[in-house]
Amino acid sequence: MKKKELTTNQIIEAAFELFAEHGIERTSLSMIAGKVGITKPSIYYHFSTKEELVSRIYSHLFENHYFESYFQADFAAAGDFRQALYEGGLKMLPDGSKEHAASLRVLSEFMLLAERDELYRSLLGNMQQNFLNGFHDLLMKGVELGVVAPQNVVYKAHMLALVIDNLSRCMMMKVAMEYHEVWMETVNSVLIDAKGE
């Protein structure tokens, strides 16, 4: 049983690496079997179809990717709000490691898959909605604390979600910009400044 779990994990890791390098569509079960050092029929002992393997990789990739993993809605004081919002966004940005870059490439593959597969469109849409709702709830907490103006909170939440998402994509494409400063300006734009504006 232990050997089966180890081989299953090896298949998932190999498939993930190949998906990052070649894309989901261009990666065959034969390529995955070759990378792991097993025969193609042996994969069917662990996964009945390629679609099941793709689904397991999706679950593995996004198991901890939800709003509360990065942002905490409970702040002790209004003075902590700006910094916590800023730092939460920074945690979402790629850290420059090869593993993170591979994760972003595979995420892009799932985005392409979502264009023609309702299951992944729904899963990714639900994940995006979690971040939109999370930013909204967080900003409503900021309204209670007096650090966010109550007008247009929904639009401010959407702007935060869009900016952090696009900053990640730009980093993946190695677009030259001051990412931390852009995020800080975005955070500042949704908060009431020291003069109450």
Side-chain angles (χ1 to χ4, degrees), residues 6 9 20 26 29 35 42 60 65 87 108 122 140-142 161 169-170 193-195:
L6 179 62
N9 289 338
R26 291 185 303 269
L29 290 178
K35 186 164 182 72
S42 297
H60 174 74
H65 189 64
E87 289 176 4
S108 294
S122 176
M140 289 305 293
K141 177 71 171 176
R169 292 176 198 282
C170 288
D193 66 22
K195 295 176 258 185

Side-chain angles (χ1 to χ4, degrees), residues 21-33:
E21 185 177 349
H22 302 287
I24 293 172
E25 293 292 320
R26 291 185 303 269
T27 299
S28 67
L29 290 178
S30 296
M31 291 168 68
I32 297 166

